[in-house]
Amino acid sequence: MDKNKSRRPKRDAQELCASIPSASPPRRRSRRRDLRDPSATPDRPFQQLGTQATANTLVLGLPASLRAGDLEGGQPVPTQTQTQLPKPSLALPTQLIEQHATSSFADVDVESEGGVKVGGDTYDFEHDEEEVDEALRRNEAAAARALGGEPRNSGGIERGDEGCVLNHESSRSPYRRLAEMVAAASRRDVDGGAASVNPDRDPPAAAASPGDPKRFFSPVVAYFAPEVSKTRRGILGDRITERGGAVARDVNDPRVTHVLTTSTTYRHWNPAARLVSPDWAQACIRAGELRPEDEHPPALTGGVNPPASLSSSPLPPVASPMRLGPPPSSQDASQGHVVVDSGSGADGLVRPWLGKKRGAFACQRPSTAAPVNLNPHITRPLEELAAIYEDVLGGTNAYKARHHKQVAGAVERLDFVVTDVEQLCDPPVTPAFAQKTSTVRDKIRELLATGKLAKLEELKRKPDVEAVLELSGVWGIGTETARKLHREDGVSTVAQLRALAARQPGKLSANQHVGLRFYEEFKERIPRDEVEALAGHVEDAVAAVCPGCSVTVAGSYRRGKTSCGDVDVLLCPSEEFIRGGSQGAPGATVDTVEDILPAVLARLRTRGVVTDDLSTGTVSWMGVARLPDSRERLAPTTTDGAEGDGAVAVVTPKRLHRRMDIKTYTPDEMPFALLYFTGSGYFNRSMRTWADKAKGLSLHDRGFNLVRGNDMTAVRDAKFRDERDVFEYLGLEYVPPEDRSV
DNA sequence: TGGCGGTACTG
DNA sequence: CAGTAC
DNA sequence: GCCA
């Protein structure tokens, strides 16, 4: 444990405060060149992705810093175990550094489902202690067998065995042992025979000799990138395990040797693994032996038809998503970046807390999203409690919820298993852990001692809690409506609500009917490529209506997440269009900014992309969309397997209904809109507060307001061409989108 | 002890 | 206006 | 529930 502690980044208040000045150096114009993202340099022409014919700009793709170059260039991929803090960039009060986006699981990339995995089985904490204990005993025996002797497995997968303290007598409490099991299990949580520690499951690997030609995959531990379709993953995965290999569920598993991906931009955390196309596995299967990896670099498989609108670049290459497509003219006009800090502070720096003793600052750093959650025994009950506070109790309880989630998130990012609250205190995981009293800290203590939370149990015993929790999961139904439905109509489940809605349609609003209809579909995550395909259709419509209008996907997509909860699209017409309507933008069928969205939506409706509306304004739309029923939309999945008779099965992906938002902004609002809709929610919150405290500004989705007295006046003394200008104006180092998933 | 974001749409 | 969502 |  001490070892783990020493690996943790040091961040005491002193150090954080000391880093403030460097966090916001008075930057001169010339420094803007050596920025992380070259394509975001003002001088560089913005890269267009749309069809040449239409001058539209579809801004998609991973943030530049996630691109292939990073993976191949041998730069160490930052892991959360690194010792020093990366260069501080955004100085913020620690109490504001909160994590997770809007909803509890909205931005979780790693599957955080299920309970604690122990040797392939999953236990959640509904089980009583005996049950957990028994499971631990079983698996300890199995693990001891697997680790103790020599032939750990036939695969020859080598890795260090550090930290495998499974047989320790010193571990007294069941939860300490559980914690250790969790740590161990997460290291060997590999599907398929090779590394399983559970004797009940597939031990065949032990029987075969390593040299067996039929088991040529034995040195391979494959991980399928999320964009590889389920079917393909299943088929190839089976072939690989049949032939002695293993399939890892987690890309961070140190034993992963090959990452199978179609994306050249796939970001993975295991630098030791090779990035290959799934075709590589197929070639190996066909050849009956391992084939050279170089022959199959990660790429789209042949015969794949990307959606028409994206055909020029199936995986959008280098256009920087944090750079909104600037109207060409404004680019020419950008002789100098006239973002002048006319505000407070002679040196342009504001450090309101710097002199204070307790002024704890956290510096925003690249948020190395936790690859695996080593502490579900803490985070899950906390999140559960938070969900009840937020969705059931509502009101000011949302603030309790927020704090519980903040702590859960901080604990989830830890790279060691927590067995004692003190581990969370010496460098405090959140500022609250440095205080004398903290109720959440007490809750964790209780959790570690007893394995449960009295508060949570008590709340869960209340009869309406579960009902309200479920009902408020319907879009458009919040705590109040859910409670009323349960109280007055005796509705407890979505199924019952559907029955009620059928009997008495007037009970629900139109939006709630929509939410109810797509209840299941809205809960599904949206893969990146589908986000791109949907955005591609928006781009087509925009191109037809208003050439030159940029189309940008914000949201968690822009933060580089592999899947998203919804599709967030921002439109920004050119300045020519703003000035001259269809005269300024030849080809436009509309004349004002307000006309764009309705026209775009009309086209999307006739194509069947937009299916329902949730709220419709002139510049903002929220609704439902899905991919149209055409033959070439998402990459069809070819499943000619090892048996290879040449048959190609085209698997039709189910076209789920997705939540989509589209908003139009003028070029001068666009940087703020991008910032706001890229999030995360917690990142926004911290930036808002910083703007308020440091500069007396209120930050919103279309600009700054100067807060003086009661009234607020818009800031008009500075020009903001992109997000960087906003950061700069606030005296903050730029934080790229992918590092904003705080 | 009060504040915790400000805005827009629906009904 | 309350409720909801962003 | 935490913080100023």
Side-chain angles (χ1 to χ4, degrees), chain A residues 74-274:
Chain A
Q75 296 160 330
V77 179
T79 72
Q80 98 271 36
T81 51
Q82 67 190 129
T83 321
Q84 324 93 317
L85 269 173
K87 185 176 154 222
S89 41
L90 171 60
L92 293 167
T94 5
Q95 88 251 26
L96 305 169
I97 301 297
E98 296 162 291
Q99 76 101 46
H100 275 327
T102 45
S103 72
S104 28
F105 300 115
D107 283 311
V108 182
D109 270 350
V110 214
E111 295 148 35
S112 55
E113 297 283 295
V116 181
K117 277 190 215 103
V118 180
D121 295 335
T122 300
Y123 300 93
D124 61 53
F125 288 88
E126 313 303 318
H127 295 324
D128 52 30
E129 262 181 40
E130 287 79 27
E131 210 173 336
V132 175
D133 229 7
E134 164 59 19
L136 288 172
R137 229 170 290 126
R138 256 205 345 252
N139 284 281
E140 276 184 25
R145 231 173 303 137
L147 298 169
E150 348 42 16
R152 176 171 314 122
N153 54 53
S154 69
I157 305 163
E158 29 193 302
R159 85 197 105 31
D161 278 331
E162 13 67 50
C164 293
V165 281
L166 301 174
N167 285 323
H168 255 246
E169 257 331 299
S170 63
S171 337
R172 302 309 313 269
S173 114
Y175 276 89
R176 171 173 289 270
R177 290 163 58 206
L178 180 57
E180 285 156 0
M181 282 305 299
V182 171
S186 74
R187 277 192 291 274
R188 58 202 65 250
D189 171 25
V190 172
D191 283 338
S196 174
V197 287
N198 191 328
D200 303 335
R201 278 177 38 162
D202 47 40
S209 66
D212 190 338
K214 306 211 117 146
R215 309 188 56 80
F216 58 87
F217 270 134
S218 54
V220 172
V221 178
Y223 169 78
F224 286 98
E227 77 274 7
V228 180
S229 75
K230 277 237 161 64
T231 12
R232 191 164 200 211
R233 200 182 308 186
I235 290 167
L236 287 179
D238 286 352
R239 300 291 176 278
I240 289 171
T241 48
E242 277 166 24
R243 288 158 177 76
V247 177
R249 218 179 277 147
D250 191 332
V251 71
N252 302 289
D253 191 300
R255 290 160 304 173
V256 170
T257 58
H258 294 75
V259 175
L260 277 60
T261 173
T262 59
S263 164
T264 51
T265 64
Y266 185 69
R267 177 191 219 182
H268 70 116
W269 292 92
N270 186 344
R274 298 205 54 160

Side-chain angles (χ1 to χ4, degrees), chain A residues 23-37:
Chain A
S24 47
R27 289 201 279 133
R28 286 184 310 280
R29 167 88 182 92
S30 58
R31 288 184 59 94
R32 301 187 108 268
R33 299 294 166 92
D34 52 71
L35 295 165
R36 240 170 111 186
D37 173 19

Side-chain angles (χ1 to χ4, degrees), chain A residues 69 78 186 188 192 207 261 273 285 291 369 444 565 690 729:
Chain A
S186 74
R188 58 202 65 250
T261 173
I285 293 162
R291 303 292 306 159
I444 292 182
W690 172 265
Y729 191 80

Side-chain angles (χ1 to χ4, degrees), chain A residues 485-536:
Chain A
L485 285 166
H486 184 253
R487 175 164 27 92
E488 296 177 5
D489 302 282
V491 174
S492 298
T493 66
V494 169
Q496 290 168 0
L497 183 58
R498 282 186 166 133
L500 175 70
R503 280 200 311 273
Q504 299 173 257
K507 276 280 175 186
L508 298 183
S509 72
N511 285 352
Q512 290 162 343
H513 277 285
V514 174
L516 194 50
R517 182 144 44 102
F518 302 125
Y519 174 74
E520 288 83 8
E521 295 178 52
F522 285 174
K523 291 214 293 198
E524 295 291 325
R525 307 281 300 169
I526 314 173
R528 277 184 81 80
D529 57 351
E530 190 177 334
V531 174
E532 286 158 15
L534 284 165

Side-chain angles (χ1 to χ4, degrees), chain A residues 230 524 530 633-634 651-658:
Chain A
K230 277 237 161 64
E524 295 291 325
E530 190 177 334
R633 47 177 178 275
L634 271 186
V651 178
T652 305
K654 43 193 177 352
R655 302 179 299 126
L656 295 185
H657 291 83
R658 309 296 197 179

Side-chain angles (χ1 to χ4, degrees), chain A residues 439-487:
Chain A
T439 47
V440 177
R441 197 207 303 148
D442 294 341
K443 288 203 175 80
I444 292 182
R445 187 174 290 124
E446 178 190 354
L447 219 35
L448 289 169
T450 70
K452 40 193 172 188
L453 282 180
K455 186 74 183 175
L456 181 59
E457 313 260 313
E458 172 202 330
L459 285 170
K460 284 211 284 194
R461 236 176 282 124
K462 298 175 74 160
D464 56 336
V465 163
E466 203 154 336
V468 173
L469 215 43
E470 176 163 345
L471 296 177
S472 61
V474 177
W475 199 96
I477 295 182
T479 59
E480 296 307 315
T481 316
R483 226 177 298 173
K484 185 184 286 187
L485 285 166
H486 184 253
R487 175 164 27 92

Side-chain angles (χ1 to χ4, degrees), chain A residues 3 152 169 199 206 398 406 415 419 453 521 542 545 601 611 699 713:
Chain A
K3 182 180 125 207
R152 176 171 314 122
E169 257 331 299
Q406 182 195 353
D415 62 339
T419 53
L453 282 180
E521 295 178 52
V542 170
V545 165
L601 287 171
T611 64
L699 176 60
T713 52

Side-chain angles (χ1 to χ4, degrees), chain A residues 184-485:
Chain A
S186 74
R187 277 192 291 274
R188 58 202 65 250
D189 171 25
V190 172
D191 283 338
S196 174
V197 287
N198 191 328
D200 303 335
R201 278 177 38 162
D202 47 40
S209 66
D212 190 338
K214 306 211 117 146
R215 309 188 56 80
F216 58 87
F217 270 134
S218 54
V220 172
V221 178
Y223 169 78
F224 286 98
E227 77 274 7
V228 180
S229 75
K230 277 237 161 64
T231 12
R232 191 164 200 211
R233 200 182 308 186
I235 290 167
L236 287 179
D238 286 352
R239 300 291 176 278
I240 289 171
T241 48
E242 277 166 24
R243 288 158 177 76
V247 177
R249 218 179 277 147
D250 191 332
V251 71
N252 302 289
D253 191 300
R255 290 160 304 173
V256 170
T257 58
H258 294 75
V259 175
L260 277 60
T261 173
T262 59
S263 164
T264 51
T265 64
Y266 185 69
R267 177 191 219 182
H268 70 116
W269 292 92
N270 186 344
R274 298 205 54 160
L275 288 180
V276 293
S277 160
D279 289 355
W280 170 78
Q282 227 154 289
C284 296
I285 293 162
R286 204 167 292 134
E289 60 173 333
L290 290 182
R291 303 292 306 159
E293 286 87 348
D294 324 44
E295 291 175 12
H296 301 277
L300 286 177
T301 46
V304 162
N305 295 322
S309 57
L310 296 174
S311 54
S312 54
S313 58
L315 272 164
V318 276
S320 164
M322 51 205 141
R323 181 116 180 102
L324 64 138
S329 73
S330 79
Q331 192 139 21
D332 311 339
S334 73
Q335 3 71 301
H337 250 272
V338 257
V339 178
V340 184
D341 184 358
S342 63
S344 44
D347 58 356
L349 298 177
V350 181
R351 7 183 145 84
W353 297 288
L354 199 53
K356 291 200 197 164
K357 199 71 183 154
R358 278 238 171 265
F361 280 75
C363 291
Q364 170 67 44
R365 54 194 172 280
S367 60
T368 53
V372 286
N373 182 3
L374 295 179
N375 295 291
H377 57 303
I378 294 174
T379 60
R380 295 189 74 232
L382 285 184
E383 305 236 23
E384 221 177 320
L385 187 56
I388 294 176
Y389 277 140
E390 186 166 20
D391 298 335
V392 181
L393 284 314
T396 56
N397 287 297
Y399 296 113
K400 296 188 190 180
R402 179 181 299 174
H403 187 248
H404 280 77
K405 281 197 251 176
Q406 182 195 353
V407 173
V411 172
E412 184 166 345
R413 280 192 295 268
L414 295 175
D415 62 339
F416 61 92
V417 175
V418 177
T419 53
D420 190 319
V421 251
E422 295 310 313
Q423 293 170 295
L424 305 174
C425 297
D426 45 4
V429 282
T430 75
F433 281 79
Q435 304 303 68
K436 321 110 223 141
T437 61
S438 157
T439 47
V440 177
R441 197 207 303 148
D442 294 341
K443 288 203 175 80
I444 292 182
R445 187 174 290 124
E446 178 190 354
L447 219 35
L448 289 169
T450 70
K452 40 193 172 188
L453 282 180
K455 186 74 183 175
L456 181 59
E457 313 260 313
E458 172 202 330
L459 285 170
K460 284 211 284 194
R461 236 176 282 124
K462 298 175 74 160
D464 56 336
V465 163
E466 203 154 336
V468 173
L469 215 43
E470 176 163 345
L471 296 177
S472 61
V474 177
W475 199 96
I477 295 182
T479 59
E480 296 307 315
T481 316
R483 226 177 298 173
K484 185 184 286 187
L485 285 166

